Amino acid sequence: MTVTAWVAAIVFAATYVLIATEKIHRVKAALGGAAIMLLVHATAAGSAFFSQESGVDWNVVFLLLGMMVIVGVLRQTGVFEYLAIWAAKRARGRPFRLMVLLLVITALASALLDNVTTVLLIAPVTFLVCERLALPVAPFLIAEAMASNIGGTATLVGDPPNIIIASRAGLTFNDFLVHLAPLVIVLTAVFIGLCRVLFRRAFRYDPERAAEIMQLDEKAAIEDRVMLVQSLSVLGVVVAAFVLHPVLHYEPSVVALLGAGLLVLVTKITTDEALREVEWPTLVFFAGLFVMVGALVETGVIAQVAAAAEATAGRPGVTAMVLLWASAGLSAIVDNIPYVATMSPIVADLAQHVPGDHDVLWWALALGADLGGNATAVGASANVVILGIAERNGARISFWEFTKYGLIVTVVTVALATPYLWLRYLL
């Protein structure tokens, strides 16, 4: 490799360490790393901002932007608070029943929206319900983060790594739904059973508290019924357009932006209010990350890694299994978003040299990264968000408290994904 390639590799590795250890904010790390890549001519403006192979993937950025606007409007209607109170009353104050309902809501919402946004909406309400029932909130928050990662695995928009994989591999919303959703349903059921064992000490039933929560009126949580109907209608159209991509031929990013624009147009919300709900740091983080990965492509680092991988590649089944477990392990150490952004061009190159069904490699990458994100507190963005919310509300969750449960959940879910992947695609 050239000197520039070595510099690019060192800069990228250093940025990875900073992101994983949280020594500085990950947005600062990504932007700093991208700036250095441009400074040392590892990439250039034309490649970084306009190249389809080695530049910022604007489809990913604008898909997230559009969905964030839609969810931001939904948030103001109070529909998520309604669902949480409804779940608590349906559970009749029983802690485990409450957790089951919250986890099902979280998993479903994460499949339709994105998992980071879902936990941002569900977590504050969880604090309210747990306080009223005198329950420890940490187990519920940890379980919700994991449910969001599992549920988000089912669709293209559910987990950011899936968005990157879809963009790189040319996979559609329906591809994810058909190939991964059946497994996710099983994994969610298994995960709920695990929660009954892992968090058994948290399920303390208080009859008096349960009676109090039964007095809450969930309908009062809805702040704007007209906007709720408008928002759900637009969201339904957006999801339908995702599913009909093979017929309509509109990219998910275009669909999300059209839906966001339509929602802002038909509701009374102002553009300032709509854009205020966007997680701009997340979008900037993606942009910086893509520039860094693009620099590795431009300097030939990715090609060198791919060549080494090809040398050890054999049958697609063996390669897929190795990729599945390696992705789970590495995503546990670093955030699964930069991991997938780095691995996507490698898998794309690897798929060209491994005989058989190439898509199985992409599904192995998706399952490994999404499920492996549950293993540690820094494995997925949803985990980091949950820890931040808990700390701001005086219920700090330590890295190891999350990780001791996450490792068990990851090993079980990836172990179940292994025969599924093998039997469905490799026989």
Side-chain angles (χ1 to χ4, degrees):
M1 294 196 300
T2 65
V3 174
T4 304
W6 279 109
V7 172
I10 292 170
V11 169
F12 189 78
T15 304
Y16 246 76
V17 171
L18 291 174
I19 292 173
T21 58
E22 298 181 289
K23 293 295 184 181
I24 64 174
H25 196 278
R26 65 176 184 171
V27 176
K28 290 184 178 180
L31 283 181
I36 295 174
M37 294 294 195
L38 290 164
L39 185 65
V40 301
H41 297 294
T43 187
S47 299
F49 304 130
F50 303 107
S51 172
Q52 186 173 356
E53 291 77 23
S54 60
V56 176
D57 195 327
W58 298 112
N59 283 317
V60 173
V61 173
F62 285 113
L63 173 58
L64 286 175
L65 173 62
M67 293 305 297
M68 286 176 180
V69 171
I70 293 173
V71 173
V73 177
L74 261 175
R75 182 176 189 173
Q76 297 192 30
T77 68
V79 65
F80 289 95
E81 287 83 353
Y82 171 92
L83 289 172
I85 296 173
W86 172 86
K89 293 179 71 173
R90 284 284 180 178
R92 306 193 69 82
R94 296 283 180 178
F96 179 64
R97 292 181 188 174
L98 173 64
M99 178 176 280
V100 171
L101 286 172
L102 288 176
L103 294 184
V104 170
I105 292 171
T106 301
L108 286 174
S110 295
L112 295 176
L113 310 174
D114 77 277
N115 54 5
V116 174
T117 304
T118 299
V119 297
L120 280 170
L121 296 170
I122 293 294
V125 183
T126 303
F127 272 96
L128 170 65
V129 178
C130 287
E131 182 181 359
R132 289 182 176 273
L133 290 174
L135 295 171
V137 71
F140 286 82
L141 293 176
I142 293 172
E144 285 167 0
M146 295 179 184
S148 74
N149 291 324
I150 294 173
T153 306
T155 67
L156 184 154
V157 298
D159 213 347
N162 291 3
I163 301 172
I164 299 172
I165 290 171
S167 179
R168 297 285 188 183
L171 298 170
T172 67
F173 186 88
N174 286 359
D175 289 332
F176 278 86
L177 201 62
V178 170
H179 290 276
L180 298 187
L183 174 63
V184 168
I185 293 172
V186 174
L187 295 182
T188 301
V190 171
F191 172 65
I192 290 173
L194 278 175
C195 288
R196 185 68 180 89
V197 177
L198 294 176
F199 303 117
R200 59 187 179 278
R201 296 180 181 177
F203 303 134
R204 300 192 300 265
Y205 176 64
D206 186 330
E208 293 183 4
R209 296 273 187 169
E212 290 177 5
I213 205 168
M214 293 300 293
Q215 301 303 314
L216 292 176
D217 182 10
E218 62 271 25
K219 295 179 182 179
I222 302 297
E223 300 177 4
D224 192 323
R225 295 182 183 277
V226 174
M227 190 160 66
L228 174 61
V229 173
Q230 294 169 328
S231 301
L232 291 179
S233 299
V234 171
L235 179 60
V237 171
V238 168
V239 173
F242 285 153
V243 176
L244 294 174
H245 170 72
V247 177
L248 300 177
H249 302 294
Y250 287 114
E251 293 299 324
S253 56
V254 175
V255 172
L257 285 177
L258 289 174
L262 177 62
L263 195 54
V264 173
L265 181 65
V266 300
T267 61
K268 63 183 181 181
I269 193 170
T270 66
T271 53
D272 287 342
E273 290 173 327
L275 294 176
R276 196 179 302 132
E277 297 294 332
V278 174
E279 288 290 324
W280 296 109
T282 299
L283 301 183
V284 173
F285 173 73
F286 268 102
L289 187 62
F290 282 127
V291 171
M292 287 193 298
V293 174
L296 297 183
V297 173
E298 290 288 316
T299 56
V301 175
I302 294 296
Q304 291 286 338
V305 176
E310 290 162 18
T312 59
R315 296 172 55 198
V318 175
T319 305
M321 295 304 108
V322 172
L323 182 61
L324 171 67
W325 282 94
S327 296
L330 291 172
S331 292
I333 299 171
V334 298
D335 190 294
N336 56 10
I337 297 174
Y339 169 74
V340 168
T342 307
M343 284 298 297
S344 290
I346 297 176
V347 173
D349 192 85
L350 188 62
Q352 298 177 11
H353 298 84
V354 175
D357 185 357
H358 297 162
D359 283 350
V360 70
L361 300 181
W362 292 111
W363 301 132
L365 177 62
L367 287 169
D370 293 346
L371 300 177
N374 274 334
T376 70
V378 297
S381 298
N383 307 356
V384 178
V385 170
I386 281 290
L387 265 62
I389 294 174
E391 188 169 4
R392 286 195 300 271
N393 287 273
R396 184 178 180 274
I397 301 173
S398 71
F399 176 92
W400 294 110
E401 183 179 3
F402 189 104
T403 302
K404 71 179 180 182
Y405 299 115
L407 286 173
I408 296 173
V409 171
T410 296
V411 170
V412 172
T413 53
V414 175
L416 289 174
T418 301
Y420 175 86
L421 202 63
W422 186 276
L423 293 174
R424 182 158 186 177
Y425 305 111
L426 301 175
L427 284 181

